[in-house]
Amino acid sequence: MITGIPQHIAIMMDGNGRWGKQKGLTRSQGHFAGSKTMENIIMDSLDIGINVLTLYAFSSENWKRPQKEVQYLMDLPAKFFKEKLPEFMEKNIRICVSGDIEKLPMHTKSAVQLAVKATENNDSLVVNFALNYGGRNEIIFAVKAIIGDIKESKLKINNINEELIDGFLYTSGLPDPDIIIRTGGEKRISNFLLWQSSKSELWFTDTYFPDFNKELLLQAINEVQERKSYQARL
């Protein structure tokens, strides 16, 4: 029995393209393999008892990748939600999204919005997809929204505090992540959840995301549970 189960785990799903290259496949085939791993991790998280799972699916910097790869990544959500939405409904999983989805292609945006709307009343695991997400952009978005409310006399400067800023972020209503996991060998935060990660435990693995599994997820949880910094939060 796991004690002190994290309420919110965020995963930087890194290494799909490199996994594909290592296997003699294309980067897109690596992303497809990563999407299948993602499906498993969602169900593993539900089984473990995690309340919120945030998945870094596409960063605002990813637009700089080769056009063919970006196009494939934009096509994945439509295929993913068409296949998985019935199961998410059956399992009572709620989908939400963090990021500037207005800049996504219409078919990608529509698929995401449909999944969010269809699952809005589900109340088991929340799966938050970070799509066209950048931590600095998120903070800029929040600052602009706050300034707008001040100009319209909806807010006063003295009202600004951490709780208020939380409410203007993409992740409004979600708890801050207890653990941020990054696969693929890199050991940096890469503009991910900059505000929300101020007290998060970080856990890194060299394993490319397509090879990430429930065993490694449990390893991350167990190792973090042994940290004094995590125990002090319980």
Side-chain angles (χ1 to χ4, degrees):
M1 174 68 70
I2 301 173
T3 58
I5 296 174
Q7 185 179 9
H8 181 178
I9 289 182
I11 303 179
M12 305 174 73
M13 304 181 292
D14 199 12
N16 292 329
R18 284 174 285 157
W19 181 91
K21 184 176 180 180
Q22 184 185 69
K23 301 289 184 181
L25 305 171
T26 65
R27 289 181 59 85
S28 292
Q29 287 173 311
H31 291 304
F32 177 78
S35 72
K36 293 302 177 183
T37 296
M38 183 176 71
E39 294 176 14
N40 294 333
I41 293 300
I42 290 172
M43 294 306 163
D44 292 337
S45 298
L46 180 65
D47 182 58
I48 291 169
I50 295 164
N51 293 332
V52 181
L53 175 68
T54 292
L55 299 167
Y56 203 4
F58 189 88
S59 81
S60 54
E61 287 81 22
N62 286 159
W63 296 108
K64 299 174 184 177
R65 293 185 176 186
Q67 184 177 358
K68 187 175 181 180
E69 181 179 354
V70 170
Q71 180 62 52
Y72 185 81
L73 289 169
M74 289 296 101
D75 289 343
L76 269 180
K79 298 175 182 177
F80 175 79
F81 287 122
K82 181 178 181 181
E83 178 183 341
K84 301 301 293 185
L85 190 55
E87 185 176 7
F88 291 158
M89 294 302 296
E90 178 186 349
K91 301 289 187 180
N92 205 26
I93 292 172
R94 180 163 72 93
I95 302 300
C96 60
V97 62
S98 293
D100 185 3
I101 66 170
E102 294 303 317
K103 294 181 180 178
L104 298 177
M106 184 56 68
H107 70 289
T108 309
K109 176 182 171 182
S110 297
V112 171
Q113 289 177 323
L114 177 63
V116 170
K117 180 65 176 176
T119 63
E120 64 182 351
N121 294 319
N122 294 349
D123 58 5
S124 61
L125 172 68
V126 175
V127 182
N128 175 41
F129 288 92
L131 278 169
N132 194 26
Y133 176 88
R136 289 187 174 186
N137 287 344
E138 177 180 34
I139 293 171
I140 292 170
F141 172 85
V143 169
K144 287 181 177 179
I146 291 169
I147 291 172
D149 279 1
I150 290 173
K151 285 184 175 180
E152 295 178 10
S153 300
K154 296 178 181 178
L155 281 176
K156 295 182 178 180
I157 291 178
N158 290 340
N159 296 137
I160 298 175
N161 55 29
E162 289 189 15
E163 184 178 357
L164 183 136
I165 292 173
D166 282 340
F168 280 86
L169 299 176
Y170 293 132
T171 54
S172 176
L174 300 179
D176 290 341
D178 300 292
I179 305 173
I180 295 179
I181 295 170
R182 181 166 188 167
T183 62
E186 300 290 347
K187 295 178 173 61
R188 50 194 169 86
I189 205 69
S190 294
N191 202 22
F192 184 49
L193 301 178
L194 297 182
W195 175 275
Q196 301 88 334
S197 63
S198 63
K199 297 180 181 178
S200 302
E201 301 290 337
L202 306 180
W203 191 87
F204 302 102
T205 176
D206 290 336
T207 302
Y208 294 146
F209 186 70
D211 290 328
F212 191 72
N213 54 31
K214 186 177 184 180
E215 181 180 352
L216 285 170
L217 179 59
L218 289 172
Q219 180 183 335
I221 293 171
N222 290 333
E223 288 183 9
V224 166
Q225 285 172 331
E226 294 176 357
R227 297 177 184 175
K228 291 182 180 180
S229 54
Y230 182 80
Q231 293 172 4
R233 297 169 58 186
L234 300 179

